[in-house]
Amino acid sequence: MKARLIAAASAVAVAAGVTGGIVLSSPASAVNTTMCGQYESAKVQGGDYIVQNNVWGTSATQCIDTTEDGFTITQQDGVNSGGAPTAYPSFVWGCHYNNCTNDFAPIKASSSEFDTIGSKATMKYNGGGVWNAAYDVWFDPTARKDGQNTGAELMVWLNKSGGAQPVGSKVGTVTTAGGSWDVWYGNSGWNVISYVRTTAATSIDFKVSDFYDDAVQRGYAQDSWYMTSIQAGFEPWSGGKGLALSGFEVTKNGTGGGTTPTPPATDEPVIPPTTEPTTPPTTEPSNPGTGTGAAKCNATYKVTQTWGGGFIGEVTVKNTGGSATKNWKVDWTWPAGQKVVSSWNASAAQTGTKVSAGNLSYNAAVASGAGTQFGMQVEGASAEPKLTCSAA
């Protein structure tokens, strides 16, 4: 699934050494670089942060003008009328698909260090389009630095336009980080918990635990998981030109000053389907299960997201036997040449139109009557093949 801010820089820009926290990295001179490559990125502030173009939901051109602590979208030609956004141009602290900032190690959510980590930044908005302005904070059950996180994607939406809405459905409202937030929950192969400010804001100064503690209490996240990155930027479906991020910082011992409200943007009467993950998922490095005995499982399939040229499929494996499985495997044949681009919570291998997906080490054992899920990003027209499940 995803994924991710402060008012006009002249008013409340944050610099190194400001009261309220020890800045983990200090601003340097601006790089003033234009990025138009699909996955183009660069390390800034001596490698303390990464700025990335991150166009993953379209083949159309997107360009950003970057500085040492922010960027502006100068061209955004992609238009997705439904399904996934076109991109997530953003600043990153941590690891994004093994592209890591200086000396970063994933931080366990139960640690005292995690309780001190915060962030602040500034957002500038345009007058239309379909987009969100959001933080995207990622968590994984392991201290991983590469690939798709499978724990939780915590999104903090400061603003939205054109009817954009998060994955899933609204499950509550909470007051934290200087504002009131609608809480949304969904699943894209991992839990997606989105906090959408009820009144739009142009800035934020918060601790990650302000939101993550609430997600844990709701049962959507776990203290045993590791935070792998903090990202901030925009998810445009269309009309993203002019959106800008500045003053991005990750802080330690920050006060969590809250948000700076701004008049809400005028939403157009267009409501795209739910948000897709802000980075394409990747396959876990494991071998498919080899259970070939009497069937002890069944598998059901559904398409959770679609966009031009691809879709997200989700498979639920249920143990129908009398004891826990040692491994499981699901086989199917695509009807029209679809291709698995990547998968999560399973190891998938495709030969021609035939696909075999097996368990990973952590989800091989499924208790009797229980189930587990895996997902995949697929290239081609949306399809629902017939599945065969085997287990041992």
Side-chain angles (χ1 to χ4, degrees), residues 9-317:
S10 60
V12 292
V14 181
V18 74
T19 301
I22 301 171
V23 179
L24 295 182
S25 54
S26 301
S29 60
V31 289
N32 294 324
T33 298
T34 297
M35 292 183 181
C36 297
Q38 182 177 13
Y39 298 119
E40 187 173 356
S41 68
K43 291 186 176 181
V44 294
Q45 298 191 31
D48 289 336
Y49 300 119
I50 296 167
V51 58
Q52 59 178 7
N53 199 27
N54 197 17
V55 183
W56 62 272
T58 180
S59 59
T61 299
Q62 175 178 284
C63 297
I64 59 175
D65 284 355
T66 71
T67 68
E68 289 286 343
D69 65 353
F71 64 87
T72 300
I73 301 177
T74 55
Q75 182 176 351
Q76 195 268 307
D77 296 342
V79 176
N80 280 357
S81 58
T86 62
Y88 184 54
S90 49
F91 254 62
V92 180
W93 179 77
C95 290
H96 180 88
Y97 284 76
N98 219 26
N99 187 13
C100 300
T101 55
N102 287 345
D103 303 322
F104 178 81
I107 301 169
K108 198 167 188 176
S110 60
S111 69
S112 57
E113 180 184 9
F114 176 76
D115 290 336
T116 71
I117 299 296
S119 186
K120 54 182 74 173
T122 300
M123 288 293 190
K124 178 182 177 181
Y125 307 126
N126 60 22
V130 182
W131 47 261
N132 68 33
Y135 268 81
D136 202 357
V137 188
W138 287 91
F139 295 83
D140 194 83
T142 64
R144 69 181 303 154
K145 295 184 177 182
D146 62 340
Q148 176 62 51
N149 286 197
T150 60
E153 177 184 7
L154 190 155
M155 297 194 74
V156 180
W157 290 37
L158 268 73
N159 198 3
K160 58 187 176 69
S161 176
Q165 69 180 38
V167 169
S169 58
K170 181 181 173 181
V171 296
T173 303
V174 66
T175 299
T176 189
S180 175
W181 309 80
D182 288 336
V183 185
W184 289 63
Y185 171 75
N187 187 281
S188 294
W190 54 88
N191 290 340
V192 183
I193 314 100
S194 303
Y195 293 84
V196 182
R197 204 176 191 283
T198 56
T199 302
T202 53
S203 73
I204 191 168
D205 176 0
F206 71 105
K207 289 184 178 181
V208 176
S209 59
D210 291 342
F211 297 99
Y212 195 72
D213 288 351
D214 180 76
V216 171
Q217 291 175 4
R218 295 175 187 273
Y220 303 143
Q222 298 182 26
D223 283 330
S224 61
W225 291 350
Y226 292 80
M227 183 178 70
T228 63
S229 69
I230 298 174
Q231 308 182 24
F234 302 92
E235 289 183 325
W237 281 261
S238 63
K241 182 179 179 180
L243 297 171
L245 167 75
S246 63
F248 177 82
E249 297 177 2
V250 171
T251 59
K252 191 172 183 179
N253 296 325
T255 58
T259 52
T260 301
T262 190
T266 301
D267 285 350
E268 300 173 6
V270 178
I271 302 178
T274 55
T275 309
E276 258 311 302
T278 59
T279 53
T282 60
T283 305
E284 290 287 341
S286 182
N287 295 321
T290 56
T292 57
K296 296 182 181 179
C297 62
N298 63 27
T300 55
Y301 177 94
K302 65 178 180 180
V303 174
T304 61
Q305 300 289 333
T306 61
W307 60 90
F311 63 95
I312 297 291
E314 181 181 277
V315 177
T316 299
V317 176

Side-chain angles (χ1 to χ4, degrees), residues 298-386:
N298 63 27
T300 55
Y301 177 94
K302 65 178 180 180
V303 174
T304 61
Q305 300 289 333
T306 61
W307 60 90
F311 63 95
I312 297 291
E314 181 181 277
V315 177
T316 299
V317 176
K318 184 175 181 180
N319 181 356
T320 57
S323 60
T325 62
K326 295 179 180 178
N327 53 55
W328 50 262
K329 184 176 69 168
V330 180
D331 298 291
W332 69 91
T333 300
W334 290 121
Q338 289 81 2
K339 179 181 178 182
V340 176
V341 176
S342 55
S343 63
W344 51 99
N345 291 342
S347 178
Q350 181 168 350
T351 303
T353 60
K354 297 182 181 298
V355 184
S356 179
N359 61 269
L360 301 176
S361 59
Y362 61 81
N363 61 0
V366 180
S368 177
T372 188
Q373 290 181 328
F374 69 89
M376 71 198 85
Q377 180 183 348
V378 185
E379 181 181 282
S382 176
E384 298 191 14
K386 182 179 180 180

